[in-house]
Structures are given as C-alpha cells and as structure tokens.
Amino acid sequence: MRLPPEPLRLSRSPALLALALPLAVALAFSDETLDKVAKSEGYCSRILRAQGTRREGYTEFSLRVEGDPDFYKPGSSYRVTLSAAPPSYFRGFTLIALRENREGEKEEDHAGSFQIIDEEETQFMSNCPVAVTESTPRRRTRIQVFWIAPPAGTGCVILKASIVQKRIIYFQDEGSLTKKLCEQDSTFDGVTDKPILDCCACGTAKYRLTFYGNWSEKTHPKDYPRRANHWSAIIGGSHSKNYVLWEYGGYASEGVKQVAELGSPVKMEEEIRQQSDEVLTVIKAKAQWPAWQPLNVRAAPSAEFSVDRTRHLMSFLTMMGPSPDWNVGLSAEDLCTKECGWVQKVVQDLIPWDAGTDSGVTYESPNKPTIPQEKIRPLTSLDHPQSPFYDPEGGSITQVARVVIERIARKGEQCNIVPDNVDDIVADLAPEEKDEDDTPETCIYSNWSPWSACSSSTCDKGKRMRQRMLKAQLDLSVPCPDTQDFQPCMGPGCSDEDGSTCTMSEWITWSPCSISCGMGMRSRERYVKQFPEDGSVCTLPTEETEKCTVNEECSPSSCLMTEWGEWDECSATCGMGMKKRHRMVKMSPADGSMCKAETSQVEKCMMPECHTIPCLLSPWSEWSDCSVTCGKGMRTRQRMLKSLAELGDCNEELEQVEKCMLPECPIDCELTEWSQWSECNKSCGKGHMIRTRMIQMEPQFGGAPCPETVQRKKCRIRKCLRNPSIQKLRWREARESRRSEQLREESDGEQFPGCRMRPWTAWSECTKLCGGGIQERYMTVKKRFKSSQFTSCKDKKEIRACNVHPC
C-alpha cells in the first residue's frame, strides 16, 4: 500500500500511530524519525480527513446504539457498541460524535461526551480528547462506551467510527459505521416519540433499579429548601403496553396526583394492583430523608423487579419534596431489544416534571389547585421568574437525579444471541430450585418440627417457622444447611389451598387521614383473588375504616405533622422484638415557638416463639473482595451467633469460603533476541545497518504492548572518491575479485580451521519493497575434520539492508 502524497503528521501516542498508518509500518519508525514529527493543530478534523480505502456497504463492522433509537433525549446516557462479525477483527479504532453538517474543526462541532467503560480497552485520544480510541493495539471483536447526549437545542448528531484492520484504514460516512440520532421533541404534544413494539424475547429477566438523588444545595442553590428536603417513596411497576402509569402529554391519575402533591404512594399502589393482569411486579423503594447524602453514609435506595414478553415496560415515579407537584421518573421504559433479548443496562439522568395538578412555582408555594387540570409536562428554565430552575437565557435544567437499571439475571430459555457477560451465563446455567432435600449425607439432623402458627392473624402477609437440630457433622469441610426454615403465610380463611373459602389479596396500605389537623377517618381496601370453588359468595370484608388523629392540637402554637409512616419490620425473627415508625414536621408553629411533637415511635412486636430453637444467627455478610486482583482466587463471608448460650449448643458454621474468578491476568508481549546487525547498505560514505527481532507472544488481557521490532544505526565505511572514473575502476576490480572468489568457493568450498564450508547461498528476496527491508544468506558446513578442535566450524548467516529508498 502506498501512502498519500502528503504524509500524515503523527503524535507519539501508539493509538494514533495505529490510526494514521498501517500497524507494521508504524512500528518500523525509529525515535529519530518521530522527533521530526510536529504536533498538528486541529487533529480531530485531520482524523476525519485521513481516509484510506472507502468501501460502501461494508458490513463486517458495525456501530450500534443500544435499543436502536432514532432520537436521543438531551442529557441521557446511551451504550454504544463497535463490533466486527466473526471471523473479522480490528486492531485499532476511533469513535467520534459530530453535530450534523459540521467538519469537526472546532470544539463546538462535537456533540455530547463519551464515558469510558473499560480502561483496559478504551481511552480518550491525546490529540483529540473528545474522541475515543483503543488503549492497546491488539485483536478485538467488540468495544463498548457510554455516550452522554448533548443539551437541548443541539439538533441531529452523527456518531462515526473508523477501524484499523489488516493494515488498512476504513472510514464510512454512510452505512454500518455511522449512526444518526436527532433530538427528541420536548413538547411531546400528547403523543409519544414512537410506538412501542411487541417484544419477541424469551424467558424472563430480573433487574435492579437504583436511584441516585443529586438534588442538593450545592447543585441547585437557588431557594434550596434546607428543611424537610427529601425524595418520597418510589412507586412503579413492570407492565404491558396496555397500561400507562404516567406519561408526558397525559393527565395525572388520582394515584399520580397523591404522589406528586403529598408524596403518598398508597393510591398509586392500589391503582397498579388493580391492573394485576397487565402488571408483573410492583416496584417499591423507601423514601430518602434528606434528599442527598454521600453513598458512604447511606446507600442509594434500590428495588428489584422482573419482566417478561408481555410485560416488558417499566415505569416509576418519586416526589421531589417539598414542591407543589414536581416529580422525577421513567415512563414506559422498554427493556426488550429488537434482537429478542433483554437490555443489559439503562442509565438515565432525570429532570423534574410537573403533574399539572398544582399551580405553585416555588418549592414551598402554598397549595393552589390547577383548575382545570393540565397535562403532565417537563419543567423548563423559562416557566416562571420565581422558579428555582429559572434561567433567563433558557438553558437546560441541571439533572436532579440519576436512575440505573441493570439486569442481574435471566431465567428460562433465551432466544437471542450469546449472553453479554459472565454474570448472565452463571444466571442462565443456575439450576432451578429443587423440591427434594439436597442435605449432604455428612450432616445428621433431627426431623423438622411442626410449622409454628402464622405471625399474622389476618390476610396480611406473615411468616411461620419450623426448626431442626444438627446432631452430627461427619465432615467439617462440607457445610451443613440452616437449622431454621421460614415460609410466608396468611391468617385463617386466606389460604390459597382452601377451595371452600375466599382467597383475598393483601390489604392495600391505609389511605391518608381525611383531615390534616384533629380527628378524622382513614380506610384501606383489599380485593378477592379467588372465589370459592363451591360457588358460594365471599363474605369477607373488602374495606376497613378506622379513626385517625393528626396533629391533635390545632392551635397556632401547635406543629403541623405528616401522618405516621408504616412500621418497620420487627427487629427479631422470633420471639419478642421492637419496631419503629416515623413522621416529619410539615410546618412549624405559626407563633414561632419550638415544635415539641415526637417524630418517632417504638413498640414491641411478637414473632413466632423460638424457645426450642438451638441458635439464632445474623444474616450472612456480603462476600469479601476476591483474594487476587486477576485470575482465580477465594472470597469469604461471615455471620454471627445471636442466641444466648443457655438455649443450647450451636454447630452452625460462621464462615464460608468459595472460589472467585476475576478477568484473566495481563500477559505482556514477548520478543525474540535481536538478530545480528546487517551489512552497511552503502559501500562508501554514510549508510545504515538494520537488525530485527520477532514477536513470540502477542499481548493479551491488557498486557504490556510490543516495543519496536526493527532498529537501525548509522555506519560509515570510507569516503567515496570524487573522481568517478577511478571509483568505477575500483568497483570493477572489486566485482571481478568477488566473482573469482565465488568461482573458487564453488569449486572447492571455503576453507575454515578444521572444516570445509559450502558456498554462500544466494541473497533472499527483500522483505519490503521500500522504506528499508532486509536480505539474508547462509553458509553451511560441507565437511568437518575429525581432528578439529575449533568451535568456529558451524553454519553461518549474513543479513544486509535493501530497498532503503522511501516509499
């Protein structure tokens, strides 16, 4: 391959060398050559101009944005994958994002920003920091990065990739290496950006939703509420496309309104559960008080949920408090891919939206119902001058939260491509739960005791327990399972197994109290899950009411409090324990006095009796880090004994050890020893000699890259004579002398002490057509004398430079 007439300027970056020239040529450059290369201005634009072979419709390589969207949401994160279809591969690559119809010569031509996922695979370019390239040049079939979409008003964006494969650079302005995304219209006008497609995935997938609040006085200083700032409890569900929890351009339901204005998820949960055929999982996570704390102080709230082929969408919301009716959340996020698989990860930055039910403009505006009710819409920086998000220049609102939805397992037969990571493979191959007893033969137990009474006397979900004694452990290296077994249960008349009775749902959480001060009423409901098989009528009540008191004193000197939250779980798994509940100060006394109302309550709780249980253990701790940084190692976890010694001996293991596997350890490049220096490429004057070495092992798993494989140095034989006639005469004499010497060698072979050598072979072909190659020839032993004591009697090899003219 011939280089362009005007040679490219190179940086010292190995990645850029690999991009600008074929890899083998790049390695042949010496430091002396590189010292003469000047850094170029505007290197990003030079990347796009430095095109090699252009082939339309080239499909071995593809650039894909997960979910194959046609539009992007400003500020959102998208997983971008550059891949090669086997058996193809690529050694180097470049990934860049440009605004439509821009050349990349200016900083403002580039759109959004990239986020590195694997630093061993990818890095930012040294001379073009907005572009992503490879960390080490090696064979690869796939790389992934995140692309953060630019702010509103950017317009369409072109994601463009180039690859280096088999010493040829490919660029493609249209086709499989280019992806165009346009900005999603923020006005929505009551319609969604594109229809939701049917899902073709198989089996089910399990996800974990983690909510990271970023709404703080530091990030949003204007009018930030220092008191009672919080996120309400998260409520949502995985559902079908026939059910809409909330959407831009739609109207808030009563449940959405109660979340938006009061932070109460009760009605919303009731609405979701009433759509039981369209909903697979109800998503719930605890509220956050205050709205932001470092993760080392408080873990981010999270919840797990599942999806299947018919219920493959996920929606949730949480109130931003205090506020009139402002929330954040996702609406109908599709977790099914066009390739009949399940999305691996969604990372979404969130901005607040208005539920259209309250007309307040500041965090602590008084209640002012919006009549008639308006449509749900995103907040903007130009809504009202008193708004905490107001910006006279109309910029985008700084995100107030981020949600991460990550797939943690898949179940059932999968009908798409190979799993994305080791975790999925493990999850797919994990055996289904077995009904038979798999207790090791080395563990000798007593029989299980009868099940205890249910901890719930109503149709609320409770627990029942049974226990057994570990009599002997014949092999201490084999762990024995727990001696306690718990099972969910409900009170009498609520069992699914009794065909003559009604099967009722759990009670839906109590509604808010009917008044905000003094004594009022509240209610809760449940519904019939299954009618009696004998056709009789269900007589169990489906609604309960009770009195409630909120803020007993309603004078100007009294505090205005929120209702009590739900009770926490009992602190004990059996016997007597304690449970807590909390409430918050909604408004301080109007007369300026101190608020003396209690904000937490504690009361006793009784779980099934545990007087026969030999020992109580704490839950297992999290697994420790792997004992190695790469390859195979071990990890441990522990638990503690909680029961009193007098209850009996406890033979349960308190520590477990298991194997762990981290990514393979890096393997550095391995090279042969340097060859001998070649002959000087000139017979007189200044020349150079070359030596080479070969690659024995390519670097793997992020190991050290290969250094140079060709070196050259200057050589000077003697001054060339100025008189050309005398010089030609000497050349002729030297040529005749070599010819006569060669004839003599061919007849007798060359004599060496103790042996006779065959003549030199002919010089091999030059390894390169230009730019400096090498030739080799050999001399082998023809006859070795028995009396020889010399070590010099062995095969010989010579090497010399050839085709040293520039390409």
Side-chain angles (χ1 to χ4, degrees), residues 70-84:
D70 296 322
F71 301 93
Y72 68 85
K73 295 179 182 178
S76 298
S77 298
Y78 298 87
R79 184 188 294 266
V80 179
T81 302
L82 179 62
S83 58

Side-chain angles (χ1 to χ4, degrees), residues 707-720:
E708 60 182 356
T709 56
V710 178
Q711 283 185 349
R712 63 181 181 181
K713 67 178 182 179
K714 297 176 181 179
C715 56
R716 184 168 182 171
I717 308 302
R718 62 177 180 275
K719 290 184 178 180
C720 294

Side-chain angles (χ1 to χ4, degrees), residues 18-46:
L19 175 69
L21 290 175
L23 192 62
V25 177
L27 293 173
F29 273 80
S30 67
D31 288 341
E32 180 182 353
T33 305
L34 290 174
D35 287 338
K36 299 176 182 179
V37 178
K39 281 189 175 182
S40 63
E41 296 293 334
Y43 191 82
C44 293
S45 60
R46 293 186 64 86

Side-chain angles (χ1 to χ4, degrees), residues 11 13 16 19 39-45 47 94-98 104-107 110-116 122-133 145-147:
S11 164
S13 166
L16 296 183
L19 175 69
K39 281 189 175 182
S40 63
E41 296 293 334
Y43 191 82
C44 293
S45 60
I47 293 174
T94 306
L95 190 57
I96 201 161
L98 294 175
E105 297 178 351
K106 303 175 183 178
E107 185 177 349
H110 301 271
S113 61
F114 290 103
Q115 180 179 332
I116 300 298
T122 53
Q123 66 178 4
F124 292 106
M125 263 190 172
S126 59
N127 275 27
C128 181
V130 294
V132 176
T133 187
V145 296
F146 281 123
W147 177 66

Side-chain angles (χ1 to χ4, degrees), residues 252-445:
S253 65
E254 182 61 30
V256 172
K257 178 182 178 181
Q258 288 196 13
V259 174
E261 294 186 13
L262 307 174
S264 172
V266 177
K267 187 64 178 178
M268 189 77 228
E269 182 179 352
E270 178 184 344
E271 291 178 353
I272 294 172
R273 291 190 184 276
Q274 287 175 350
Q275 299 285 336
S276 56
D277 293 339
E278 307 296 337
V279 175
L280 182 60
T281 309
V282 177
I283 300 172
K284 299 169 68 176
K286 291 185 177 181
Q288 297 182 76
W289 296 82
W292 182 87
Q293 280 186 359
L295 292 178
N296 59 355
V297 175
R298 183 195 62 200
S302 64
E304 294 181 0
F305 65 95
S306 298
V307 290
D308 61 16
R309 177 178 288 190
T310 58
R311 293 160 293 190
H312 53 96
L313 306 178
M314 190 281 298
S315 303
F316 83 94
L317 68 158
T318 175
M319 174 204 180
M320 187 179 188
S323 70
D325 58 348
W326 300 341
N327 297 251
V328 299
L330 291 181
S331 174
E333 184 72 24
D334 195 349
L335 299 176
C336 184
T337 67
K338 292 181 180 179
E339 293 78 22
C340 302
W342 298 110
V343 172
Q344 184 171 344
K345 190 175 184 180
V346 175
V347 179
Q348 192 77 274
D349 289 322
L350 306 175
I351 61 171
W353 48 268
D354 189 303
T357 61
D358 191 297
S359 301
V361 295
T362 65
Y363 289 125
E364 300 183 271
S365 293
N367 290 337
K368 186 181 179 183
T370 302
I371 301 175
Q373 184 174 332
E374 296 178 351
K375 294 180 179 180
I376 297 174
R377 64 173 183 84
L379 291 178
T380 73
S381 59
L382 295 174
D383 286 337
H384 195 281
Q386 294 181 2
S387 167
F389 307 108
Y390 181 72
D391 180 358
E393 297 181 0
S396 58
I397 293 179
T398 304
Q399 55 96 2
V400 295
R402 169 172 290 184
V403 63
V404 177
I405 303 169
E406 193 161 17
R407 193 177 74 218
I408 55 178
R410 295 190 295 187
K411 257 189 153 181
E413 182 179 353
Q414 301 296 318
C415 50
N416 66 330
I417 55 175
V418 179
D420 299 303
N421 56 33
V422 176
D423 292 339
D424 270 345
I425 296 172
V426 173
D428 289 341
L429 300 181
E432 297 291 332
E433 294 182 24
K434 296 183 291 184
D435 293 332
E436 64 269 16
D437 188 4
D438 56 358
T439 303
E441 296 180 357
T442 56
C443 301
I444 310 300
Y445 287 96

Side-chain angles (χ1 to χ4, degrees), residues 664-676:
E664 296 288 346
C665 298
I667 299 176
D668 296 338
C669 176
E670 294 184 9
L671 302 167
T672 61
E673 297 295 327
W674 287 106
S675 67
Q676 295 180 353

